[in-house]
Amino acid sequence: MGRNCNCLPEPGDHIFCTRKGGLYDHHGIYVGDNMVIHLAGKAKKLQPPSCQECRNKGVVNGEMAKICLDCFLGGENFFIYEYGVFYSKHKRRKMGTCSFFAARPPNKVVGTATHFLEHDRFGGYNLFANNCEDFAVYCKTGLSGSHQVIGRIRRLGLIPFGIVVSLPIALGYFIAKGINDIRRSHSPS
């Protein structure tokens, strides 16, 4: 798991929490002032702000949202996604909790997340090719990637005949990542 913390995250931290009893993790960028920017998806953007803090300071722009830490967590604990993790440690960890890539400075991370929120330029939510982890990893490193998705594709390869299924899925995933990253590289951040 990522680093568990009983304190407030720092601005620029990539945080995540479990959802649906651990079925998946939800990711966002903590931007300070008890607020988190995340890629919410169409279903979540239709929900009205659920607390006074979100009504006062929250922002929704397309599928991007800035909400308070408590609403982001939904009663769960948060973990801090770790960057610069050695590959040997990375491959033993739960996928979607750390990266061996180095992180950008916090002010650049917050600036990138804010830019995408203000301009709704990250693209629509897609579980496979453009999800909340992709958003947070992109803000931190300049490269998108959902290690949760990669981990599930990798597990498909472990079942009999799974390699037949997982190879075309993996190929499609990496092509979609490349296209999205090229598109984003032409957007100032």
Side-chain angles (χ1 to χ4, degrees), residues 1-5 9 12-17 25-29 78-85 90 93-103 131-138 140-141 143-150 173:
M1 201 53 131
R3 196 176 68 213
N4 192 357
C5 196
D13 278 349
H14 171 174
I15 63 172
F16 66 96
C17 61
D25 296 325
H26 185 53
H27 298 255
I29 298 294
F78 77 86
F79 298 88
I80 297 176
Y81 198 100
E82 295 181 76
Y83 286 85
V85 173
H90 178 268
R93 301 273 297 274
K94 177 184 172 193
M95 296 296 284
T97 63
C98 64
S99 173
F100 43 83
F101 292 114
N131 61 43
C132 58
E133 186 181 1
D134 288 309
F135 166 72
V137 169
Y138 187 87
K140 289 291 282 191
T141 67
L143 301 167
S144 65
S146 177
H147 296 283
Q148 287 184 95
V149 171
I150 293 169
Y173 173 80

Side-chain angles (χ1 to χ4, degrees), residues 37-121:
I37 296 177
H38 66 119
L39 182 61
K42 289 181 182 179
K44 293 187 178 178
K45 80 174 185 174
L46 300 175
Q47 298 173 355
S50 56
C51 74
Q52 191 62 41
E53 188 167 21
C54 287
R55 284 191 288 276
N56 291 339
K57 298 188 291 186
V59 176
V60 175
N61 187 5
E63 297 186 39
M64 300 292 308
K66 180 168 84 169
I67 61 174
C68 77
L69 182 60
D70 290 337
C71 289
F72 175 81
L73 296 174
E76 299 290 337
N77 294 324
F78 77 86
F79 298 88
I80 297 176
Y81 198 100
E82 295 181 76
Y83 286 85
V85 173
F86 288 112
Y87 181 75
S88 58
K89 182 179 178 184
H90 178 268
K91 69 181 187 176
R92 291 189 310 265
R93 301 273 297 274
K94 177 184 172 193
M95 296 296 284
T97 63
C98 64
S99 173
F100 43 83
F101 292 114
R104 295 172 165 175
N107 63 326
K108 176 81 170 166
V109 174
V110 171
T112 300
T114 302
H115 169 80
F116 283 127
L117 173 68
E118 290 173 351
H119 301 285
D120 189 27
R121 297 289 306 258

